[in-house]
Amino acid sequence: MYFKRIVLSVVGIVIALVLTAQSVYDISYSTYNCPDNLPYGTLLDKYCPNLQLWNNHDKNFPCHVSVIKLNGHYSDCKEANEYYPMSDKELKFIQSIRKSDLAFTNPFLVTLYRNFNGKRIKVNIPTTYWNITHKKPERVKDFIIKDFQLKRLVTVVYFDNRLFFFIKKDETSMTCYYYKSIGTFVYSNYGEVTAIDDNDSINYFLIWLASIPLPSLPKEEGQKILSLIVSKADGKNQFTIDLPFVFKDNTPRSIL
């Protein structure tokens, strides 16, 4: 259960249900489409920076574990240090691998197996890093949210395998994008069915989600809001719902 702490200011309990609408944003930050003729360092700085400034961009970055700045707050993402920066040895190793060597691929991780000292070792490489170290024919489609703009994200809740993204609509209202499962969310934005049922890929996604520097829903008020949204969903896999109130964040930020 993931809850973050915020103070709610609720103006009425009138909730308007609207049809799910998908707004496709420019995905020029996709590592899948990055140029073939630029050096690794240039691609790293543009597509996979260790610090992502979400407020400064209208485009969404792909799912890439790093430090994120949003609304003046920075994530405390210790996991980012596990991937960045890559040593020359690690870079040469990844560049030497061909797509045909991979055992599994998905929008979050590519996986291969290698024998080290007589042991078969599983090696996971973030899809974003794989793409910037390989030419277009060798790349794997990465994951970018297209349903909404990340810079307008107010808070997110992952609870009971369900996802709730609260997006600022204007100064007095928000829209909640509800997904019944991670698979539903990925399909809505990725556009095709993909294998993400392995724990490593799901954990990578959840680490990224947890690293977004957002406030949390208080447990009691948050449960009421989430229960109300689920009841309005009426069994649907996904839908959007307008909320005639905004979250007032008067407390320090906390990280999942």
Side-chain angles (χ1 to χ4, degrees):
M1 181 185 300
Y2 293 87
F3 286 109
K4 290 189 174 182
R5 186 175 304 152
I6 59 175
V7 177
L8 293 175
S9 174
V10 181
V11 182
I13 302 295
V14 179
I15 296 182
L17 181 63
V18 297
L19 294 175
T20 301
Q22 189 177 52
S23 298
V24 179
Y25 291 98
D26 187 331
I27 57 170
S28 61
Y29 281 106
S30 169
T31 58
Y32 182 72
N33 296 318
C34 64
D36 282 335
N37 59 346
L38 294 179
Y40 163 74
T42 301
L43 295 175
L44 182 70
D45 290 341
K46 179 175 180 179
Y47 295 92
C48 304
N50 193 40
L51 172 60
Q52 298 184 20
L53 307 175
W54 284 11
N55 280 118
N56 293 9
H57 300 271
D58 290 327
K59 307 174 185 69
N60 289 349
F61 284 100
C63 175
H64 168 71
V65 172
S66 65
V67 177
I68 297 167
K69 181 183 179 182
L70 180 62
N71 298 326
H73 298 271
Y74 293 85
S75 56
D76 181 17
C77 188
K78 297 178 181 178
E79 290 83 0
N81 295 326
E82 297 178 14
Y83 303 104
Y84 185 97
M86 280 190 288
S87 65
D88 290 341
K89 184 178 181 180
E90 290 171 326
L91 177 60
K92 289 179 180 178
F93 170 69
I94 294 177
Q95 289 175 325
S96 70
I97 303 166
R98 302 275 64 85
K99 191 174 182 179
S100 58
D101 298 326
L102 300 176
F104 308 104
T105 65
N106 64 46
F108 306 110
L109 298 174
V110 301
T111 302
L112 68 148
Y113 290 92
R114 281 287 187 268
N115 291 320
F116 292 104
N117 298 323
K119 294 183 179 180
R120 190 167 184 255
I121 303 297
K122 182 179 183 181
V123 180
N124 288 320
I125 303 168
T127 299
T128 49
Y129 282 132
W130 172 266
N131 286 345
I132 65 172
T133 54
H134 290 78
K135 302 296 185 183
K136 182 66 177 286
E138 294 280 301
R139 293 180 193 149
V140 176
K141 187 178 175 183
D142 55 14
F143 182 77
I144 293 185
I145 294 177
K146 302 177 186 177
D147 285 354
F148 48 82
Q149 281 185 304
L150 288 173
K151 75 174 190 177
R152 300 184 67 84
L153 188 58
V154 176
T155 193
V156 58
V157 176
Y158 174 62
F159 174 65
D160 194 25
N161 199 40
R162 304 171 191 266
L163 283 165
F164 305 79
F165 292 89
F166 294 87
I167 310 301
K168 183 178 180 181
K169 189 175 181 182
D170 53 42
E171 295 304 317
T172 60
S173 64
M174 299 182 301
T175 298
C176 177
Y177 288 77
Y178 162 83
Y179 305 88
K180 194 173 183 178
S181 66
I182 293 177
T184 299
F185 171 68
V186 172
Y187 179 76
S188 176
N189 291 274
Y190 193 64
E192 57 189 75
V193 176
T194 183
I196 56 162
D197 53 354
D198 67 293
N199 289 333
D200 292 336
S201 296
I202 292 175
N203 287 340
Y204 187 83
F205 167 71
L206 291 178
I207 288 171
W208 174 78
L209 198 68
S211 72
I212 304 173
L214 295 168
S216 304
L217 288 174
K219 187 171 183 179
E220 185 175 350
E221 293 91 340
Q223 285 181 332
K224 291 178 181 178
I225 294 296
L226 300 185
S227 296
L228 184 58
I229 292 170
V230 172
S231 69
K232 293 289 183 181
D234 193 27
K236 294 183 178 66
N237 285 333
Q238 68 179 93
F239 73 107
T240 57
I241 186 169
D242 285 344
L243 304 170
F245 55 84
V246 294
F247 294 147
K248 300 296 184 182
D249 178 21
N250 298 317
T251 58
R253 299 287 171 123
S254 61
I255 305 302
L256 292 179

